[in-house]
Amino acid sequence: MPESELPKAYEPASVEPRWYEFWEQHGVFNASLDPKDTRPVYVIPMPPPNVTGSLHMGHALYTIQDVIIRHARMRGLNVLWQPGIDHAGISTQVVVERQLKREGKTRHDLGREAFIERVFAWKEQSGGRILEQMRVLGFSADWPRQKFTMDPDMSRAVREAFVRLYEQGLIYRATRLVNWDVESRTVLSDLEVETEENVQGELYEFAYQVAGADASLGATELVVATTRPETMLGDTAVAVHPDDPRFTHLHGKKLAHPFVDREIPVITDPVLVDMAFGTGAVKVTPAHDFNDFATGKRHGLAEIAVIGPNGAMNEQAGEFAGLDRFAARKAVKKRLAELGLARGSKPHTMTLPRSQRTNSVVEPMISTQWFVKMEPLAVPALEAVRAGKTRIVPEEWVKTWEHWLTNIQDWCISRQLWWGHQIPAFYCVSCSHVNVTRADPTKCEKCGSAELERDPDVLDTWFSSGLWPFSTLGWPDKTLALERFYPANDLETGYDILFFWVARMLMLGLHFMGEVPFRRVLLHGMVVDEVGDKMSKVKGNTLDPLDLIQGAEFENLVKKSLPDAPLDEAMAKFKKAYPSAAQMGKGFAAYGTDALRLTLVSYSPQAKRIALSPARIDGYRRFCNKLYNATRFALAYVADEAPSGAVPVATLLQNRWILSRFARAVAASTLGIEEFRLDDGSGALYHFVWDELCDWFLEMSKPVFANGTDAEKAETRAVLAHVLEGSLRALHPYAPFVTEELWQRLPRPASRPVSLALAPYPGAADGRADAAAERDMALLMSAVGVARTTRSENELHPTAKVPLELRTADAHARAVLKAEARAIEFLVGTAGPVVIAEPGGARPAGTVLDVAGDVEVLVGLRGLVDKARAAERSARALKAVEKDIVIMTKRLENKNFVANAPPEVVTEARAQLAQLERQRARLLEARKLIEEL
């Protein structure tokens, strides 16, 4: 097939892999480190997906970054989109340990070194899968620079950062109450704990006996309320409010613990106790509750841990030792009842902390961990945003940023895992000195002993991720890449990791590099289902981007999403989540990557929720086909029309107009990308290509190519070639595959780059603003639109020819319409020449009269309409309108409505009634017309 010829149908499945391979082979995405390359740089650090991950809709939103990156590359900048993978400590270890469990083994059976080898082997098998899937989505990252957070050079950077912070007194080791994940048996940072809302629990009440109390002298017990009876085994006090008169007589008294040989004091604390909640007395368990821990510090209470790392009660729990914490809850309640100390329970709605990684209920637990002092790091980060060194977009997140960083707690960075960066701390067995070193020591730096034991813990994954903008560029070495590509221009990511990742990068970048790591933080929302619910496997509403790109039957989708649910139940959940899917038969068509990308950028990236609609994806599939077919049409005329790059001279109205509209569209696209409003940018191009280039300009070019003069044909060919080529360049960042396929088929000058991805992005100067052409074309479009509507409303056959007369008192308008008579006759499908005249005279029989601004549009229908069908259609429409008029009239006659409804609602109702009455008048006129046909 000749290069300029295109197959009749666009097949994304055959086009997309071919062009992605072409781009990689030609190094299109690679940043330049050539010292002679003086181009300005543009950098986005790609958020590294987890090594455990597979593609989901959140990753598909990396499309936003790719649009920005491709646009920058087409602007001639030296672009780096730094890709990589995160080792994802907890998630990865959980996956591999579950594999071992299926084999009847644990990591302890393998030992640390063998277990880590096993994880690396798993990573090699599956870790790159998500990056291959990203290629399917067309992401133009600099893949040869790909990094893994546990690569040797990355590990060296992590160790250097830890040692420096330790030497500067910003990392320390302490015993604190921490969030503990009993399933993965590791500490969690506050950000790794998710709060489950509206959990239905109970507020259980039981009594402590006052030690040595004489019943004849008054109350001998103090009743407390708790949601966690099992932790009473670790109680070291009961607190009451100092101003609560109910308990004044108990101040300073001791209470007898019913299960362990311990007396606990009654303390007063106005901070912990709310007199109106529960019984007004609060049991205090410093080792298993954060508020109680703080209370214990204020009062010097003992911290007695009764729950072990595995979630079971330990030896401090006495007779309950060995029971799982939830089994112990039931057992403690049973024994309290047997002792006559149970005082009943009440339903209680509460929150429940869960591990983000394993979903297990988080257990507050006393533990010795490593921490980073955050205030000295947070203050410069706060100031950087306040001073505008880094902008957060949208700005509504700045207030949240301020709140979080001004109230920041020290960061627990140690994790009780084997997979990750092992903490470079070595404990001397002889003198207990802690050696923190850049290289593994052979002896203690304090006493010289060779008996050293390394800390078994690893660092929080977010510690290494926080170094990403500069560790990927060679830090701590002073490399050319670091000098050239730090700081990045933008960071684009989801708002949900603003504090997990963005804040830590900003803090650590400022600390180690002395400069912010990025100038802007662009935050997008969360992709949710079509009705606005968060995607989850439990709801059966998750979508795999590859299923949308390559096509999939609904039955297979729901089986994948809800494998254990009955098929009809799973299907019902899916169609409830995606109502538009009900119109799509048995499954999704193969929409192709470009359709999905265009859909994702059509939503405001700044919205907190992006409700994904399959119908919208299908709409963009049709748009890609429209662009493809338009190019097929154009190639028949412009195959030999190699554009020079200069804006063609244009005299014909449609040519002047399309150049002016093109200038507007590309300017809007550039502004949308630069201002992080890709919905506006892509929407401007969509409207231009579909509604203006295809629906008007190409249609108006047909009579020129058929019957125009040689000069008119030449001019139109030049304009068509120029605008089509420019439109493909403008659309390329949004829809890279179809635009590359089509652009490569267009005639090309010898100097054209090897790929559309390297061609210059068009600007307003690639068109030519022409207000007069836009004004005159609007007049023509309005008149033709009214005539076409008349044809459509009367269900004329597409080939039927109609008499057409246009009347206007405006001399300029008549001149324009006369000059464009050829186009009008073609677009409307007229029977003979269009008549252009001044107003006057009666409406000819059998003619529909309508108006387009100041132009009267008369369309002759005699002999072209089935009178019986027209009468039936008119009667139905009139009946419906009159019914609506009755309803609206009654509403407006209701004095309560008029008096109480908001003024704008009443005004809108009156406007609707007026419109309905105009419709009725037109329908009555149309009924008279039918008799004339």
Side-chain angles (χ1 to χ4, degrees):
M1 169 188 309
E3 187 180 12
S4 62
E5 286 188 18
L6 283 171
K8 288 186 177 181
Y10 178 55
E11 297 291 344
S14 63
V15 168
E16 294 173 356
R18 172 163 47 86
W19 284 118
Y20 202 92
E21 183 180 1
F22 175 88
W23 292 327
E24 287 205 273
Q25 286 175 348
H26 288 80
V28 168
F29 308 150
N30 298 352
S32 170
L33 280 173
D34 185 344
K36 297 178 182 179
D37 191 335
T38 59
R39 291 177 296 161
V41 302
Y42 181 82
V43 181
I44 292 181
M46 178 190 289
N50 288 349
V51 68
T52 56
S54 59
L55 204 65
H56 57 67
M57 292 311 305
H59 296 123
L61 271 184
Y62 282 29
T63 295
I64 295 170
Q65 296 172 60
D66 191 49
V67 171
I68 299 170
I69 281 288
R70 285 180 179 270
H71 177 254
R73 193 179 288 120
M74 294 179 75
R75 286 165 48 213
L77 305 182
N78 186 6
V79 172
L80 172 62
W81 191 16
Q82 174 65 55
I85 305 177
D86 193 284
H87 67 279
I90 295 177
S91 299
T92 304
Q93 181 154 323
V94 166
V95 168
V96 177
E97 285 200 84
R98 285 174 180 168
Q99 287 183 350
L100 291 173
K101 188 175 182 180
R102 289 194 290 270
E103 299 170 14
K105 300 177 183 177
T106 71
R107 60 178 159 128
H108 300 283
D109 295 328
L110 272 65
R112 184 168 192 143
E113 187 175 335
F115 177 76
I116 291 173
E117 288 178 1
R118 172 76 178 252
V119 180
F120 267 112
W122 176 84
K123 178 256 180 186
E124 290 304 314
Q125 291 175 2
S126 61
R129 182 177 65 248
I130 192 168
L131 297 182
E132 289 305 314
Q133 293 171 330
M134 285 181 163
R135 287 171 163 86
V136 174
L137 275 162
F139 296 160
S140 60
D142 189 347
W143 298 113
R145 291 190 56 83
Q146 176 182 319
K147 292 291 185 180
F148 177 51
T149 49
M150 286 189 59
D151 285 342
D153 57 338
M154 300 288 282
S155 296
R156 175 170 164 254
V158 170
R159 187 161 183 166
E160 177 66 27
F162 185 95
V163 173
R164 285 195 197 181
L165 291 170
Y166 180 79
E167 291 173 344
Q168 294 161 359
L170 294 174
I171 283 182
Y172 64 95
R173 195 165 183 253
T175 301
R176 298 271 180 84
L177 193 68
V178 296
N179 301 300
W180 187 264
D181 184 333
V182 299
E183 182 174 331
S184 57
R185 299 194 189 182
T186 183
V187 68
L188 303 172
S189 73
D190 291 343
L191 292 176
E192 293 170 304
V193 178
E194 293 184 339
T195 301
E196 182 182 357
E197 305 284 350
N198 300 317
V199 177
Q200 298 305 307
E202 68 170 358
L203 200 59
Y204 178 79
E205 296 181 1
F206 70 93
Y208 273 118
Q209 297 296 311
V210 179
D214 186 339
S216 65
L217 298 178
T220 60
E221 68 178 28
L222 182 55
V223 178
V224 297
T226 179
T227 59
R228 303 190 63 202
E230 72 278 10
T231 63
M232 61 86 66
L233 299 165
D235 284 357
T236 54
V238 170
V240 297
H241 198 283
D243 300 331
D244 193 333
R246 293 175 295 176
F247 306 118
T248 304
H249 64 290
L250 294 176
H251 290 185
K253 298 290 186 181
K254 298 281 187 178
L255 306 175
H257 199 288
F259 300 128
V260 294
D261 186 16
R262 183 166 71 241
E263 289 187 349
I264 60 177
V266 177
I267 62 173
T268 61
D269 194 292
V271 177
L272 178 68
V273 180
D274 176 358
M275 290 188 284
F277 181 77
T279 65
V282 180
K283 59 184 286 300
V284 183
T285 320
H288 292 290
D289 183 276
F290 286 98
N291 291 325
D292 293 1
F293 180 79
T295 303
K297 292 297 183 187
R298 289 194 296 273
H299 295 271
L301 301 177
E303 297 161 355
I304 302 174
V306 294
I307 301 175
N310 62 350
M313 311 306 289
N314 62 21
E315 66 281 356
Q316 294 283 356
E319 63 186 271
F320 304 98
L323 290 177
D324 175 80
R325 54 185 169 157
F326 298 119
R329 180 176 299 175
K330 295 179 180 178
V332 166
K333 289 165 62 177
K334 181 180 179 183
R335 288 286 288 121
L336 286 169
E338 291 171 353
L339 294 173
L341 297 175
R343 296 293 180 265
S345 65
K346 302 172 184 175
H348 179 62
T349 301
M350 59 186 186
T351 59
L352 205 59
R354 288 191 178 275
S355 167
Q356 186 188 60
R357 305 299 182 187
T358 64
N359 201 43
S360 62
V361 177
V362 170
E363 186 63 55
M365 196 170 293
I366 294 287
S367 181
T368 301
Q369 302 290 340
W370 289 90
F371 295 86
V372 178
K373 291 181 182 177
M374 296 308 293
E375 186 178 1
L377 298 175
V379 169
L382 279 165
E383 181 54 36
V385 173
R386 289 168 184 166
K389 295 177 181 177
T390 293
R391 285 181 54 223
I392 297 176
V393 181
E395 288 187 5
E396 66 187 79
W397 286 103
V398 173
K399 186 180 292 185
T400 309
W401 170 271
E402 284 276 341
H403 175 77
W404 191 77
L405 285 187
T406 52
N407 295 280
I408 197 168
Q409 302 295 311
D410 284 356
W411 175 15
C412 179
I413 56 170
S414 47
R415 297 291 181 271
Q416 288 62 56
L417 304 170
W418 286 356
W419 174 245
H421 297 101
Q422 192 169 357
I423 291 173
F426 300 80
Y427 306 110
C428 179
V429 175
S430 301
C431 72
S432 302
H433 178 68
V434 181
N435 299 265
V436 174
T437 58
R438 289 172 174 81
D440 292 359
T442 57
K443 60 182 181 180
C444 176
E445 59 190 6
K446 183 177 181 182
C447 73
S449 171
E451 288 190 80
L452 299 174
E453 293 181 356
R454 187 168 186 174
D455 193 308
D457 292 351
V458 300
L459 288 166
D460 180 7
T461 300
W462 295 105
F463 187 90
S464 53
S465 299
L467 310 175
W468 187 252
F470 50 96
S471 63
T472 53
L473 301 174
W475 186 89
D477 296 333
K478 294 183 178 179
T479 65
L480 176 59
L482 190 62
E483 179 184 348
R484 178 165 290 186
F485 298 123
Y486 188 94
N489 301 74
D490 291 327
L491 177 80
E492 200 285 327
T493 190
Y495 70 81
D496 54 322
I497 56 173
L498 177 60
F499 306 114
F500 272 119
W501 189 47
V502 179
R504 286 160 177 168
M505 284 191 290
L506 190 55
M507 289 186 280
L508 294 173
L510 281 165
H511 186 76
F512 289 116
M513 297 296 296
E515 192 172 4
V516 295
F518 24 74
R519 304 299 184 194
R520 290 194 307 174
V521 176
L522 311 175
L523 299 174
H524 65 244
M526 178 187 299
V527 182
V528 294
D529 68 21
E530 195 170 1
V531 296
D533 289 337
K534 185 177 179 180
M535 292 186 185
S536 73
K537 290 188 176 180
V538 173
K539 294 179 180 176
N541 63 349
T542 57
L543 284 179
D544 183 336
L546 297 185
D547 288 333
L548 296 168
I549 291 169
Q550 299 166 355
E553 291 190 1
F554 294 145
E555 186 171 320
N556 294 332
L557 289 179
V558 299
K559 284 179 179 177
K560 184 165 58 174
S561 185
L562 290 172
D564 300 324
L567 182 59
D568 56 348
E569 178 186 322
M571 191 72 78
K573 284 187 174 183
F574 181 80
K575 292 194 173 180
K576 180 181 179 182
Y578 300 99
S580 67
Q583 312 301 320
M584 297 179 180
K586 293 185 177 181
F588 295 132
Y591 296 132
T593 296
D594 290 327
L596 178 59
R597 287 172 60 108
L598 285 163
T599 301
L600 292 171
V601 299
S602 72
Y603 298 92
S604 170
Q606 301 180 27
K608 289 186 178 179
R609 289 184 171 250
I610 298 170
L612 188 67
S613 167
R616 189 180 290 204
I617 305 172
D618 189 53
Y620 279 104
R621 177 187 63 83
R622 292 196 299 272
F623 173 76
C624 291
N625 288 338
K626 183 98 169 177
L627 180 66
Y628 185 87
N629 290 329
T631 305
R632 286 189 77 243
F633 166 81
L635 282 172
Y637 300 100
V638 303
D640 300 321
E641 192 74 31
S644 65
V647 182
V649 174
T651 59
L652 297 180
L653 176 60
Q654 68 262 32
N655 293 340
R656 292 164 52 212
W657 172 76
I658 201 65
L659 288 170
S660 186
R661 297 305 299 168
F662 178 64
R664 286 183 185 271
V666 295
S669 174
T670 295
L671 186 65
I673 294 172
E674 291 176 347
E675 295 192 349
F676 194 46
R677 286 305 305 260
L678 275 64
D679 53 327
D680 291 342
S682 62
L685 293 177
Y686 177 94
H687 169 66
F688 170 76
V689 169
W690 189 297
D691 299 331
E692 297 175 340
L693 177 62
C694 293
D695 284 0
W696 287 97
F697 176 71
L698 290 186
E699 290 302 305
M700 291 179 72
S701 72
K702 291 176 181 177
V704 175
F705 290 137
N707 301 306
T709 65
D710 289 345
E712 289 175 332
K713 291 177 181 178
E715 177 188 308
T716 303
R717 277 197 302 270
V719 171
L720 174 56
H722 178 84
V723 172
L724 179 59
E725 193 271 345
S727 298
L728 295 175
R729 283 189 283 133
L731 278 167
H732 180 73
Y734 307 98
F737 291 109
V738 67
T739 52
E740 184 80 71
E741 172 76 0
L742 299 175
W743 187 80
Q744 294 284 358
R745 307 288 184 146
L746 296 180
R748 65 187 71 188
S751 60
R752 194 161 85 165
V754 67
S755 168
L756 173 55
L758 300 175
Y761 197 79
D766 287 280
R768 184 183 294 113
D770 191 330
E774 294 201 29
R775 179 197 63 215
D776 293 346
M777 189 68 182
L779 170 71
L780 181 149
M781 292 166 70
S782 178
V784 169
V786 167
R788 284 174 159 179
T789 298
T790 299
R791 291 185 60 115
S792 174
E793 288 178 347
N794 288 277
E795 299 181 353
L796 298 194
H797 191 276
T799 61
K801 302 298 182 182
V802 296
L804 177 65
E805 182 178 353
L806 303 176
R807 299 173 179 176
T808 177
D810 187 320
H812 175 75
R814 288 199 303 275
V816 170
L817 295 173
K818 286 178 181 178
E820 299 305 318
R822 177 177 62 191
I824 295 169
E825 290 159 8
F826 176 80
L827 294 171
V828 176
T830 63
V834 58
V835 175
I836 313 294
E838 294 185 53
R843 172 183 63 80
T847 300
V848 172
L849 169 63
D850 208 335
V851 294
D854 294 330
V855 179
E856 294 180 353
V857 181
L858 295 93
V859 179
L861 298 178
R862 178 169 284 176
L864 300 174
V865 176
D866 184 320
K867 292 177 66 172
R869 289 184 60 191
E872 182 183 346
R873 185 172 62 247
S874 176
R876 281 200 311 269
L878 184 61
K879 182 178 180 181
V881 167
E882 287 180 334
K883 180 180 178 182
D884 290 343
I885 287 174
V886 169
I887 293 171
M888 194 61 67
T889 300
K890 285 183 179 179
R891 179 180 297 180
L892 288 167
E893 287 174 349
N894 185 330
K895 294 180 180 179
N896 289 332
F897 171 75
V898 175
N900 299 323
E904 61 272 19
V905 173
V906 176
T907 300
E908 175 63 21
R910 286 174 175 151
Q912 289 178 10
L913 179 59
Q915 183 181 9
L916 288 167
E917 287 173 338
R918 287 193 297 272
Q919 281 183 260
R920 178 171 61 180
R922 288 186 60 189
L923 288 167
L924 290 170
E925 181 69 23
R927 191 160 65 180
K928 295 178 185 176
L929 172 65
I930 291 170
E931 299 304 317
E932 302 172 1
L933 299 180

